């Protein structure tokens, strides 16, 4: 038995807010898990401190599955982003402990490497098409094999995915939500020219991706997907809100452009119908918001039966702890597709020293025992929590819309 003796929540803000759970054992081995829920961080911190941690003390850290079921079934109130993020933090920390106790990287405990590395995609963005393509050429020069394209929309003051910084995009940008203005009509006219010029500039050996960020109706998504077909996009991400999973059936009837969805999913039940009816091509659920490595493996196993591949969310609202976990997961699952990779700020990397590395468009978690990532608590304590909200979105007539 490896008895849990203590667990602590660490909240820090090295460039942005992160919540980290540290679990300690009687053998001196500890593990860390990401518990960050962008814009609602303190809700998860409270859930862990007030409701979860007291239940962990004295339990055997090796019994990962039993503890997962205890926290999921035992709470009665199941699922939801706060609950599943808290469970994910515990689960990830326990996998870290198990790897350290075994002297093995976590991917070895998951069955070993199924590939040499994990293909990742970077974010090319700009106020204009020309600026976006310039950024994409820079990513190609760095060796990226997959690049997401997001460009400003003529007539709109701001556009999702377009940041002032060339490499860093942090949407949680204010102590109260900022308000953006949106026009689907203007947006729909801007994306096909972006892809046409990108193919001319980048050629056909680079995968091109795009995120609609839940802003289209199913028929609008079908039209955009059809318009993009000549440019063979790797995927069209989050084309429409997924609460009604049957709405993706209408998209399928109108386009062969691959569809990716799921970064806000918290359990297998959010995507079960989408996968079983083959309405999507990539599932983007991630370690920190979908119940940890244990539950994400279940989602991947279901997806594998229907030739749906993984494409896990990997924005800067996932700490390096979660990025490491995602890489161990992606290296080991048979139906891996791609991993999103947004670089963290230098301050974040200093607080979370890690073994994972990028090389020639691929990433590898490294071979350090456990997850291969740690937290410098003394440095973390220097960065106090700063309230930060994601924006809200309104149509040009003032109607509140999907952000």
């Amino acid at each position: 038995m490896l008895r849990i003796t203590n667990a602590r929540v660490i909240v820090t803000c090295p460039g942005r807010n992160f919540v980290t759970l540290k679990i300690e054992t009687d053998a001196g081995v500890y593990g860390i898990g990401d518990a960050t829920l962008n814009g609602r961080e303190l809700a998860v911190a409270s859930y862990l401190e007030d409701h979860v941690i007291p239940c962990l003390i004295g339990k055997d850290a090796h019994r990962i599955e039993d503890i997962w079921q205890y926290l999921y079934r035992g709470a009665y109130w199941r699922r939801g982003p706060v609950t599943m993020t808290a469970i994910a933090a515990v689960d990830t920390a326990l996998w870290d402990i198990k790897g350290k106790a075994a002297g093995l990287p976590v991917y070895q405990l998951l069955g070993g490497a199924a590939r040499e590395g994990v293909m990742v995609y970077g974010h090319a963005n700009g106020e204009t098409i020309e600026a976006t393509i310039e950024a994409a050429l820079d990513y190609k020069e760095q060796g990226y094999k997959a690049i997401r394209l997001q460009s400003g929309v003529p007539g709109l003051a701001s556009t999702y995915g377009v940041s002032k910084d060339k490499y860093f995009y942090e949407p949680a940008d204010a102590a109260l939500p900022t308000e953006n203005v949106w026009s689907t009509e203007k947006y729909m006219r801007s994306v096909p020219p972006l892809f046409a010029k990108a193919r001319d500039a980048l050629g056909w050996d680079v995968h091109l991706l795009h995120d609609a960020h839940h802003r289209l109706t199913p028929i609008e998504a079908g039209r955009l997907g059809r318009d993009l077909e000549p440019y063979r996009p790797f995927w069209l991400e989050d084309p429409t809100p997924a609460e009604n999973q049957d709405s993706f059936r209408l998209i399928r009837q109108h386009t062969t452009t691959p569809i990716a969805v799921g970064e806000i999913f918290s359990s297998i039940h959010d995507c079960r119908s989408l996968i079983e009816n083959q309405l999507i091509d990539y599932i983007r659920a991630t370690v920190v918001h979908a119940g940890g490595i244990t539950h994400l493996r279940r989602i991947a196993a279901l997806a594998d039966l229907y030739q749906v591949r993984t494409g896990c969310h990997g924005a800067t609202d996932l700490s390096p702890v979660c990025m490491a976990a995602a890489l161990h997961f992606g290296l080991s699952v048979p139906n891996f597709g791609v991993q999103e990779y947004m670089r963290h700020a230098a301050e974040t990397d200093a607080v979370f020293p890690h073994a994972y590395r990028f090389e020639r468009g691929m990433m590898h978690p490294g071979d350090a025992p456990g997850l291969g990532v740690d937290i410098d608590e003394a440095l973390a304590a220097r960065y106090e929590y700063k309230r930060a909200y994601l924006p809200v979105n309104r149509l040009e007539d003032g109607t509140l819309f999907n952000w």
Side-chain angles (χ1 to χ4, degrees):
M1 174 181 284
L2 198 57
R3 192 178 302 278
I4 296 173
T5 56
N6 189 35
R8 292 180 289 113
V9 175
I10 304 163
V11 179
T12 184
C13 187
R16 71 159 335 277
N17 292 317
F18 295 108
V19 180
T20 306
L21 176 67
K22 185 172 186 177
I23 298 179
E24 300 170 346
T25 68
D26 58 0
V29 180
Y30 66 87
I32 56 176
D34 188 9
T36 306
L37 184 61
N38 199 357
R40 298 293 187 270
E41 298 91 352
L42 298 186
V44 184
S46 173
Y47 192 102
L48 286 166
E49 291 175 334
D50 297 331
H51 305 292
V52 172
I53 287 176
C55 299
L56 296 177
I57 307 305
K59 290 192 177 297
D60 184 356
H62 279 312
R63 299 185 63 174
I64 297 176
E65 180 67 36
D66 183 69
I67 291 175
W68 195 97
Q69 297 295 339
Y70 183 92
L71 296 176
Y72 181 82
R73 297 175 185 268
Y76 184 70
W77 308 104
R78 301 181 183 182
R79 300 166 59 189
V82 173
T83 294
M84 297 304 281
T85 300
I87 292 175
V90 175
D91 184 78
T92 306
L94 294 180
W95 279 105
D96 191 25
I97 289 171
K98 188 177 283 290
K100 290 174 179 175
L104 293 170
V106 166
Y107 76 83
Q108 293 289 14
L109 304 179
L110 302 178
R115 54 197 50 83
E116 296 304 311
V118 171
M119 183 175 73
V120 297
Y121 69 87
H123 288 211
N125 68 86
E127 294 290 342
T128 64
I129 289 177
E130 291 72 23
T132 300
I133 292 174
E134 181 181 351
L137 287 168
D138 181 37
Y139 275 105
K140 183 180 179 182
E141 182 67 23
Q142 294 177 50
Y144 281 81
K145 299 175 173 61
I147 303 169
R148 193 184 86 164
L149 304 173
Q150 306 291 142
S151 183
V153 176
L156 296 182
S158 62
T159 307
Y160 167 76
V162 177
S163 62
K164 296 178 181 179
D165 190 279
K166 184 177 181 180
Y167 293 120
F168 302 101
Y169 174 61
E170 176 48 62
D173 60 358
L176 289 173
T178 57
E179 295 198 1
N180 297 165
V181 177
W182 179 252
S183 167
T184 298
E185 294 80 7
K186 293 173 181 175
Y187 162 77
M188 294 275 283
R189 292 195 297 267
S190 73
V191 183
L194 169 64
F195 269 72
K197 293 186 178 181
R199 276 295 175 218
D200 287 342
L202 298 166
W204 293 88
D205 292 331
V206 177
H207 299 301
L208 301 181
L209 302 79
H210 181 71
D211 185 1
H213 220 243
H214 320 276
R215 299 184 181 196
L216 306 178
T217 66
I219 198 66
E220 289 168 344
R223 182 187 305 152
L224 180 59
R226 184 189 61 199
D227 290 345
L228 294 179
E229 284 176 12
Y231 314 110
R232 297 293 190 269
F234 187 87
W235 75 33
L236 177 61
E237 178 185 342
D238 289 341
T240 195
E243 284 89 345
N244 178 9
Q245 297 188 20
D246 273 346
S247 65
F248 284 75
R249 197 179 306 277
L250 184 59
I251 301 175
R252 275 287 200 239
Q253 293 171 356
H254 291 278
T255 183
T256 58
T257 291
I259 301 300
V261 73
E263 70 181 51
I264 64 171
F265 291 172
S266 60
S267 88
I268 196 170
H269 304 289
D270 294 322
C271 55
R272 181 171 57 85
S273 178
L274 291 170
I275 291 171
E276 291 177 344
N277 291 296
Q278 296 179 273
L279 301 179
I280 60 172
D281 303 278
Y282 295 90
I283 178 64
R284 285 183 40 75
T286 194
V287 170
V288 67
H289 299 141
I293 294 172
T294 296
H295 195 61
L296 194 59
R297 290 180 76 200
R298 291 194 179 95
I299 294 174
L302 173 65
D304 191 36
L305 297 178
Y306 298 93
Q307 300 185 70
V308 173
R309 292 183 285 179
T310 67
C312 295
H313 180 60
T316 48
D317 59 356
L318 281 61
S319 86
V321 181
C322 184
M323 176 54 68
L327 295 174
H328 285 279
F329 166 82
L331 195 66
S332 65
V333 294
N335 55 325
F336 170 80
V338 71
Q339 170 65 51
E340 181 180 17
Y341 173 49
M342 291 184 69
R343 307 176 192 189
H344 289 106
E347 296 90 342
T348 297
D349 286 337
V351 170
F352 297 96
H354 51 265
Y356 61 73
R357 62 186 185 272
F358 172 88
E359 186 177 1
R360 297 192 303 273
M362 312 275 277
M363 291 187 71
H364 194 283
D367 289 304
L371 294 174
V373 63
D374 206 343
I375 183 169
D376 184 331
E377 294 190 62
L379 187 55
R382 300 180 188 176
Y383 300 100
E384 294 185 359
Y385 169 81
K386 297 178 182 179
R387 187 176 68 190
Y389 283 90
L390 294 169
V392 297
N393 216 22
R394 292 186 184 274
L395 300 181
E396 290 180 299
D397 68 358
T399 303
L400 195 67
F401 196 60
N402 303 309
W403 183 79

